[in-house]
Amino acid sequence: MAANFPMQPMGRFSGPSQPVKRPKEFACFSYDENHEFRLDDSSIKYYYTPRLGADLSKGFDTFRKLDDSGDEHLDSLLKTIVAHEKETGKKIDANVVTWRGMMTKIMAALFEQQDGFEMNATLYQENNDFKVQSRLNENRRGPRRGPPLEVMQYWGYKFETLSTLPKTWHETSREYIEDRENQVVSNKEQYCSVVRTGIGSTVLCLGGEVDAIWDAKPPPGQPINWVELKTSVEIRSPGDLDNFHRKLMKFWIQSFLLGVPKIVVGFRTRDGILVEVQEIETQSIPQTVNSRQGARWNADMCVNFAGEFLQWLRNVINDEGVWRIRRRAGSNGIEVFKVEETGHGNVLSEEFKNWRIKL
Ligand code: A3P
Ligand code: MG
Ligand code: MG
């Protein structure tokens, strides 16, 4: 008994955007330099303009790279939710709990024909909890020129190190700021924001990494000046601009979902020299893209698609067991079917279930 959510005709997702809630952070956690979980904001980074001309490949040989071959499921997110519920004495009210990255894939599906994905979901005490089952299908490119893919991936993390400080500017020495190009790059340390947000009729709890903060954290409840950092190849032709506008969709969705107001893009040469830094307001992206002829995506349609899909999903997943949400690359529908009749598989941690039984 598989259910299918059709994505065609796309016209049914056009029109004004369904209501969205402003994402509000209600909890956070960090991974420290060894990728150990910490229930605090210790790994937050502060944005500080990088130096142009820096070589993004520098230090690749000393990269402290996180081994991400294992699947961490929702464990850290659930741990943070348990701590929050212990503090408040009540359950969070979200209909769907997942990583921001999972929601990004769903929200981008309408305009990303080649992006297949699979994730598991389970129903628990009226809350759905998604998790990813398989990693993003790698783009299979033919023979390619240019630097190795691992080096290109390093550029993104190098840019983060070049553009951030581990403490506020006041607490940082001139020497550190000027020596950032020689810092060892690590992607083990992370700060993750946990927010309550909403799309259409669905209340979501999302967890996701944020790269940096512009100033400092305000008192609880107030908007936070998060910064998303991205690298992209410099724009030198209409084709480059076209590709960049396409990339803006993922940038926008990713930042929109956590309420990140600003994206700082580091433009680089083909061989990884940082040549320009541009600050982009997240909320300005849909307009920028629409104003260009032949726009390849539309933000309102992404929202409407996500809103309708989530509502549909909550009707389909109405029973215990583990469900698979699958989008095959190139297909124009999302399938949902049961893969385990009972229980919650690996989706929910023991800690979370034990806590909720008591609550
Ligand atoms: P860029 O986005 O600048 O290329 P994020 O931008 O989400 O904070 O991720 C930081 C960096 O992680 C990216 O920098 C990229 O280097 C790497 N990265 C993120 N998602 C990836 C993916 N799906 N495949 C390969 N690398 C990825
Ligand atoms: Mg990041
Ligand atoms: Mg980033």
Side-chain angles (χ1 to χ4, degrees), residues 7-241:
M7 299 196 282
Q8 302 283 348
M10 268 168 69
R12 69 190 176 98
F13 305 110
S14 57
S17 155
Q18 288 196 17
V20 293
K21 283 191 180 61
R22 176 171 76 79
K24 282 206 179 101
E25 177 176 283
F26 66 89
C28 67
F29 68 90
S30 293
Y31 290 115
D32 70 8
E33 68 275 14
N34 299 313
H35 203 66
E36 309 272 3
F37 177 90
R38 293 179 61 150
L39 195 61
D40 60 26
D41 62 8
S42 51
S43 291
I44 207 165
K45 298 281 183 288
Y46 298 84
Y47 178 73
Y48 194 89
T49 334
R51 183 184 76 80
L52 298 185
D55 180 357
L56 297 174
S57 302
K58 189 172 174 188
F60 174 66
D61 51 325
T62 56
F63 184 26
R64 284 176 41 86
K65 190 170 187 299
L66 176 68
D67 173 11
D68 60 358
S69 54
D71 190 337
E72 295 181 13
H73 306 296
L74 291 174
D75 295 6
S76 307
L77 179 55
L78 296 178
K79 215 186 252 289
T80 308
I81 291 171
V82 168
H84 176 78
E85 291 182 344
K86 282 184 177 165
E87 210 175 290
T88 60
K90 58 175 201 278
K91 292 180 198 173
I92 59 165
D93 65 351
N95 306 114
V96 172
V97 175
T98 189
W99 294 116
R100 180 265 313 270
M102 301 298 98
M103 221 21 243
T104 302
K105 288 185 199 187
I106 289 172
M107 215 166 149
L110 196 58
F111 297 104
E112 277 285 0
Q113 283 305 317
Q114 292 321 311
D115 239 7
F117 58 76
E118 290 193 35
M119 52 188 88
N120 282 355
T122 194
L123 180 70
Y124 190 71
Q125 297 182 336
E126 291 147 56
N127 287 332
N128 283 328
D129 295 284
F130 295 10
K131 81 154 178 79
V132 70
Q133 178 72 13
S134 67
R135 315 217 143 248
L136 201 68
N137 300 350
E138 299 252 337
N139 278 338
R140 274 182 240 297
R141 291 180 231 189
R144 48 182 296 284
R145 290 185 299 165
L149 287 175
E150 304 80 64
V151 174
M152 293 186 74
Q153 195 186 5
Y154 174 77
W155 291 348
Y157 299 116
K158 179 72 178 182
F159 179 61
E160 292 180 357
T161 308
L162 292 174
S163 317
T164 60
L165 308 173
K167 295 201 179 117
T168 64
W169 170 76
H170 303 282
E171 299 163 305
T172 307
S173 67
R174 226 335 100 192
E175 289 71 40
Y176 182 93
I177 293 175
E178 277 159 14
D179 196 45
R180 280 180 295 171
E181 283 167 54
N182 296 314
Q183 287 296 315
V184 171
V185 175
S186 163
N187 65 346
K188 295 187 181 187
E189 241 178 288
Q190 286 176 19
Y191 171 91
C192 291
S193 183
V194 180
V195 306
R196 179 183 187 273
T197 186
I199 301 180
S201 63
T202 303
V203 176
L204 296 139
C205 167
L206 300 176
E209 191 197 1
V210 288
D211 293 332
I213 192 166
W214 188 261
D215 38 25
K217 258 189 163 182
Q222 290 189 28
I224 311 177
N225 292 323
W226 294 126
V227 178
E228 170 61 43
L229 299 169
K230 290 287 179 193
T231 60
S232 201
V233 70
E234 61 180 331
I235 296 165
R236 299 181 59 181
S237 69
D240 289 347
L241 186 61

Side-chain angles (χ1 to χ4, degrees), residues 264-283:
V264 173
V265 183
F267 289 97
R268 54 157 180 87
T269 61
R270 259 91 186 149
D271 43 13
I273 305 298
L274 182 65
V275 286
E276 194 196 334
V277 169
Q278 218 180 85
E279 292 167 19
I280 300 176
E281 299 300 320
T282 305
Q283 59 165 20

